[in-house]
Structure formats: C-alpha cells, structure tokens
Amino acid sequence: QVRLVESGGGLVQAGDSLRLSCAVAGRTFDWETIGWFRQAPGKDREFVAAAMWRFDTTKYGDFVKGRFTISRDNNKDLVYLQMNNLKPEDTAVYYCAASTALMILTNIGAWGDWGQGTQVTVSS
C-alpha cells in the first residue's frame, strides 16, 4: 500500500499560482504512477495530471491547457502540482493518487491509493 499526504492548498485570487505537494511513502517510488485528481462540490472527481517516471511520461486533463505542471523531488519523495493562472472554476478538493497500471489511465478505478485531499479555493 502507498501512503499519500497532500498539502499546499489554500485560498487564492484568480490569476494567482499555487503549488500542491504530495508526500509519497510505501512501495518503491520509481515504480509508481502518481496522479492528481480534483472534485468540486456536486461534481464527479476528475483527472488533472499524472506522471509515470519510469517511462518519463506525463498526461494532463484537457482543461489544464498548459497551466499546470506535475513534477517530483527525488530526494524528498514528493510530487508537486504547480498550478498557474488559477481560475474560479479550479476551485475543488485536490487529491493525490497512486497507480500500478502500465500506462496512465484517467478513470478513477485504475487508481488504488488516495490521499485525504487538500482544498483549493480560487476567488474571482
């Protein structure tokens, strides 16, 4: 089992930037696919971004449009989600997730481990 703990959420204004962190512990980090999802009130959880480092592959949700970047700090077992030019519609709880699938899948069922989430609120 992989343990995931998110941090870095908060209240920002439209156009601001925010960096979320996900601390990863458990299975060998290099063999995990780590991703970010988000869930706004009354909406389904949706895929934001993911990275499969053993194949140097990343994938982003269509709505990201170059605003978000997923990265990692090898020394600290941290995965980051840098979010720039935030919009009010980005307001949601952001979750970190881990998958052992052999490719990046965006459906929730492919992700076996989840963090508790961190709230991001973007005011207009």
Side-chain angles (χ1 to χ4, degrees):
Q1 184 178 5
V2 176
R3 296 182 300 277
L4 307 163
V5 179
E6 304 95 334
S7 61
L11 172 63
V12 297
Q13 294 185 333
D16 285 351
S17 297
L18 202 60
R19 188 179 75 168
L20 305 183
S21 299
C22 174
V24 182
R27 291 192 295 263
T28 304
F29 192 98
D30 284 347
W31 291 98
E32 296 294 332
T33 298
I34 303 297
W36 289 92
F37 288 75
R38 70 183 188 182
Q39 189 166 18
K43 295 187 177 181
D44 293 335
R45 193 167 297 188
E46 67 174 340
F47 174 78
V48 176
M52 180 181 282
W53 282 282
R54 61 187 184 273
F55 297 131
D56 195 24
T57 301
T58 58
K59 186 179 182 70
Y60 294 91
D62 292 339
F63 68 88
V64 170
K65 299 186 186 299
R67 298 184 298 128
F68 297 177
T69 303
I70 187 170
S71 62
R72 68 183 278 190
D73 182 327
N74 293 341
N75 295 327
K76 299 180 180 179
D77 287 346
L78 290 171
V79 175
Y80 301 113
L81 181 68
Q82 177 68 44
M83 304 186 294
N84 298 326
N85 190 23
L86 283 162
K87 305 175 182 180
E89 51 264 42
D90 294 318
T91 295
V93 177
Y94 283 71
Y95 297 90
C96 183
S99 170
T100 57
L102 297 179
M103 59 186 297
I104 295 177
L105 301 172
T106 61
N107 56 300
I108 295 174
W111 300 78
D113 297 284
W114 293 84
Q116 82 289 349
T118 185
Q119 176 71 47
V120 172
T121 303
V122 184
S123 63
S124 58

